[in-house]
Amino acid sequence: VIRIRMPYEFVPTGARIYVNGGCTTGTFEVSATVNATPMFATNLTIDAMERTSKTATVPAVLAIDNIPDDGEIIVEIEDTGDATAYGLKMIIYGYRVIN
């Protein structure tokens, strides 16, 4: 579990995960919540033998349109495939809301 605090209000437009080394079989899957609300309607996944969610068979779909100032993002690994993937990173794309 990784916990992140957003330092300002933010509008997410997409997200991506990548790993240093991918799993050889199965699907690596990550979920995230923002203040206990699911961030994705479909989770971020990395297919077997891949290292990024950009090429995933099932693309992630955002379920939120705003991350509030000081919002807590919790990232959890849901499925490790064959448990050989390592070095997880997550990028959230979007823009800061200026008040």
Side-chain angles (χ1 to χ4, degrees):
V1 174
I2 300 168
R3 294 176 186 269
I4 305 162
R5 286 281 180 184
M6 186 57 70
Y8 42 75
E9 186 176 357
F10 187 79
V11 175
T13 58
R16 186 178 301 167
I17 55 173
Y18 62 100
V19 291
N20 290 346
C23 54
T24 54
T25 61
T27 302
F28 188 85
E29 181 178 348
V30 171
S31 68
T33 58
V34 176
N35 295 337
T37 300
M39 188 171 179
F40 303 102
T42 58
N43 288 334
L44 290 157
T45 60
I46 299 175
D47 300 327
M49 305 303 291
E50 299 285 334
R51 293 181 46 218
T52 177
S53 61
K54 181 177 172 108
T55 57
T57 303
V58 178
V61 176
L62 282 169
I64 62 168
D65 58 4
N66 183 280
I67 300 172
D69 181 20
D70 202 38
E72 182 179 48
I73 301 168
I74 299 175
V75 180
E76 295 185 68
I77 297 172
E78 298 295 334
D79 189 350
T80 61
D82 63 4
T84 57
Y86 62 93
L88 175 65
K89 293 131 188 105
M90 180 176 181
I91 301 168
I92 303 172
Y93 298 97
Y95 55 91
R96 181 179 180 174
V97 175
I98 308 288
N99 292 326

